Amino acid sequence: MAKKEYYEDVRKQNLEPLWTIPDWFLSAEPLKTYGPYQWKWQDVYPRLLGAGEHMVPGLAGSRRVLVYAHPELRQSLGTTHTLNVAMQMILPGEKAPAHRHTPLAIRFIISGSGASTTVNGERMAMESGDFLVTPRWAWHDHRHDGDGPMIWMDGLDIPITRFLNGVFVESYREAMQAVTVADNESRKLFGIAGIYPKQIDSLTPANESLMAYPWANTLEALRNARETVTDPFEGAIVEYRNPRTGGSVLPTLGATMQSLLPDEETQSHRHTSSAAYYVYRGQGRTFIDGTAYDWNEGDVLIVPPWSWHAHRNLSNQHEAFLFAITDEPMLRAMGLYREERGPQK
Ligand SMILES: [Fe+2]
Ligand SMILES: [Fe+2]
């Protein structure tokens, strides 16, 4: 058979000769399929408040949420290729009804006071700087009994769950769950490392591990990290973990809180995980593959996989705090996590 006919014949059978497939099929290192992106809080905040006039959280589990949809990932509505970040708001007296879904969720509380999230019958407080998790397929609802808008950041693994065809969603039989255990039960059981109720192994709590991590604990852990660990690529950084397993806080998503002292700058590194940074406090600059992104409180900044990045605190007086959601646990689980340390090549 002549060469030309051979290739036509093979392709007619939906077979592709590997030796003709271009580099994107197997590249020497990860290809850049999307770039960095930044959302300024001054652009997001008024539009989030505006959603208060146009949408009321209602039945069928609907939420007042603005999704950070990366312009280069419009088809998946991803913030990165693996995760979604969104801002959610509820107003005084409102309830976001109970539902559950297989995509899991991280929540970082930004502002407001007096609201609560109930997960599997455990009600937990939400205050600025607190970190909450909702595991896969866990019933959850939110209510706001305080004053003023309550705003938090959601992080979910929707793009990867959809890619794996694993999405299920279900509404609860009633609008809100009954609270069945002591408020903040998981914090009371698992929130102090190394000290637990004597009966811990025989208990059947509403949630099997810690669901809410208060800001005061995060801050203390950061201070302790600053005194004990030196890492020129990170400043001081703590990772939220599951205290019962010692592993990442959720199977697919990880989260960190990082502190940069006045004028502190980190050295450049890159890794196969992607990250969505939220500027909790401070102002600074992040270099991503040589481009500078200046950030202020409330901004969200995307660092794509395998992109060199370094942070700098631009204030000579105030500490900066960067919260980040990453897909590092899923890359580690699949043996795909790699890090390269600068200087940038
Ligand atoms: Fe939800
Ligand atoms: Fe990094």
Side-chain angles (χ1 to χ4, degrees):
M1 192 181 285
K3 191 172 178 180
K4 187 166 171 281
E5 281 85 62
Y6 169 77
Y7 282 105
E8 283 173 8
D9 176 61
V10 164
R11 291 192 171 116
K12 230 180 262 172
Q13 302 301 319
N14 293 314
L15 299 168
E16 195 63 35
L18 181 61
W19 62 92
T20 67
I21 293 176
D23 286 349
W24 56 258
F25 188 66
L26 281 174
S27 52
E29 60 179 58
L31 298 176
K32 298 204 188 299
T33 53
Y34 61 98
Y37 198 75
Q38 183 177 24
W39 288 265
K40 293 281 191 187
W41 187 235
Q42 69 206 40
D43 296 326
V44 174
Y45 183 58
R47 291 166 176 91
L48 189 61
L49 292 179
E53 298 166 26
H54 299 293
M55 190 274 175
V56 177
L59 293 173
S62 66
R63 300 290 196 253
R64 187 188 289 114
V65 164
L66 292 180
V67 177
Y68 287 69
H70 193 302
E72 293 175 85
L73 299 166
R74 292 298 305 189
Q75 277 197 321
S76 66
L77 293 183
T79 310
T80 78
H81 62 305
T82 51
L83 60 92
N84 286 107
V85 163
M87 278 302 158
Q88 180 158 180
M89 178 177 75
I90 57 173
L91 297 172
E94 286 184 343
K95 293 170 181 172
H99 69 178
R100 63 179 175 177
H101 37 73
T102 49
L104 47 74
I106 277 170
R107 306 186 205 287
F108 184 72
I109 314 307
I110 289 167
S111 62
S113 185
S116 61
T117 286
T118 300
V119 176
N120 290 334
E122 176 194 348
R123 181 168 58 195
M124 48 200 99
M126 306 167 86
E127 301 293 333
S128 179
D130 289 357
F131 172 85
L132 275 66
V133 293
T134 302
R136 284 200 203 292
W137 207 234
W139 294 112
H140 55 284
D141 56 60
H142 316 286
R143 62 185 298 154
H144 190 7
D145 301 313
D147 302 317
M150 187 82 208
I151 295 173
W152 67 88
M153 176 179 171
D154 289 318
L156 292 96
D157 63 350
I158 294 174
I160 198 73
T161 312
R162 287 182 58 199
F163 180 74
L164 296 172
N165 275 340
V167 174
F168 291 85
V169 180
E170 188 180 352
S171 290
Y172 196 59
R173 60 182 182 271
E174 293 162 44
M176 305 296 279
Q177 299 167 75
V179 175
T180 55
V181 296
D183 283 356
N184 302 303
E185 181 196 59
S186 69
R187 255 169 69 183
K188 288 168 180 163
L189 291 177
F190 312 119
I192 300 176
I195 308 175
Y196 307 103
K198 177 79 170 66
Q199 305 84 347
I200 192 77
D201 294 329
S202 59
L203 298 178
T204 49
N207 291 295
E208 60 191 30
S209 188
L210 187 58
M211 295 288 110
Y213 301 62
W215 171 242
N217 290 2
T218 306
L219 197 56
E220 187 183 350
L222 264 177
R223 299 277 177 264
N224 292 339
R226 175 74 68 187
E227 289 179 21
T228 51
V229 186
T230 306
D231 183 343
F233 299 92
E234 301 283 14
I237 188 167
V238 292
E239 183 181 6
Y240 298 90
R241 292 226 179 170
N242 178 329
R244 304 215 77 192
T245 65
S248 61
V249 71
L250 290 168
T252 47
L253 297 187
T256 57
M257 180 63 75
Q258 194 165 4
S259 138
L260 300 168
L261 295 177
D263 291 323
E264 183 171 10
E265 58 185 296
T266 66
Q267 291 177 29
S268 199
H269 75 163
R270 62 176 176 175
H271 32 69
T272 49
S273 57
S274 57
Y277 284 92
Y278 170 77
V279 182
Y280 183 49
R281 295 283 183 263
Q283 59 175 122
R285 176 174 298 158
T286 295
F287 291 91
I288 307 175
D289 284 333
T291 302
Y293 294 84
D294 283 359
W295 38 259
N296 280 294
E297 206 166 296
D299 293 354
V300 166
L301 180 64
I302 302 310
V303 176
W306 211 236
S307 300
W308 292 102
H309 54 283
H311 310 294
R312 185 182 295 174
N313 185 346
L314 289 183
S315 167
N316 56 18
Q317 292 180 350
H318 302 291
E319 189 175 8
F321 292 101
L322 293 175
F323 172 74
I325 302 178
T326 86
D327 52 11
E328 187 180 322
M330 59 181 113
L331 283 134
R332 284 192 184 279
M334 298 173 79
L336 295 172
Y337 185 78
R338 285 198 201 194
E339 182 187 350
E340 190 176 0
R341 302 189 150 200
Q344 180 173 343
K345 287 173 191 139

